[in-house]
Amino acid sequence: MFRALQFDPHRKAHVVLLDDHPTTHKPFLCVRGIREYHEHPQHSGDEWLLYRESMNMFSIVMSLWRVCVDLVHPLLLVQENGIQVQWTAEEKP
């Protein structure tokens, strides 16, 4: 599965596209405003209804763009046994 990273100054870069939600067992985007994020047991205190009005299809697509394309850059490492791709995230203002 493709990697999506989000940059947080306090936590550095962390993976936000996860492959197994504990309830649905499907891949999900672990970002505030996405319903699966708020239904995850680790985020039970952060109510989805607080973000519902500000989240629409465009903002969800832009969130995906930001964490999957805009902030994430591949670094190709050529090794004796093949090529390894390492994904790095960078902060943008």
Side-chain angles (χ1 to χ4, degrees):
M1 190 165 87
F2 185 76
R3 281 230 136 135
L5 301 173
Q6 187 174 50
F7 185 85
D8 183 348
H10 305 291
R11 292 178 57 201
K12 305 281 182 185
H14 56 279
V15 177
V16 292
L17 185 59
L18 304 174
D19 59 353
D20 185 32
H21 190 278
T23 306
T24 64
H25 300 290
K26 294 181 179 179
F28 73 105
L29 185 62
C30 191
V31 174
R32 272 192 186 115
I34 305 298
R35 185 176 220 152
E36 286 80 7
Y37 167 91
H38 299 281
E39 291 176 349
H40 195 282
Q42 289 180 333
H43 307 291
S44 61
D46 195 4
E47 289 293 322
W48 177 69
L49 290 174
L50 297 173
Y51 303 88
R52 184 174 174 206
E53 287 185 14
S54 63
M55 292 300 286
N56 55 36
M57 185 60 77
F58 180 75
S59 61
I60 293 171
V61 169
M62 288 308 294
S63 293
L64 278 168
W65 172 265
R66 183 162 171 77
V67 299
C68 293
V69 178
D70 194 30
L71 292 179
V72 182
H73 304 283
L75 175 63
L76 297 177
L77 303 172
V78 180
Q79 301 172 345
E80 291 179 17
N81 56 352
I83 296 175
Q84 179 182 4
V85 179
Q86 187 175 41
W87 298 94
T88 58
E90 64 183 46
E91 179 181 14
K92 288 200 175 185

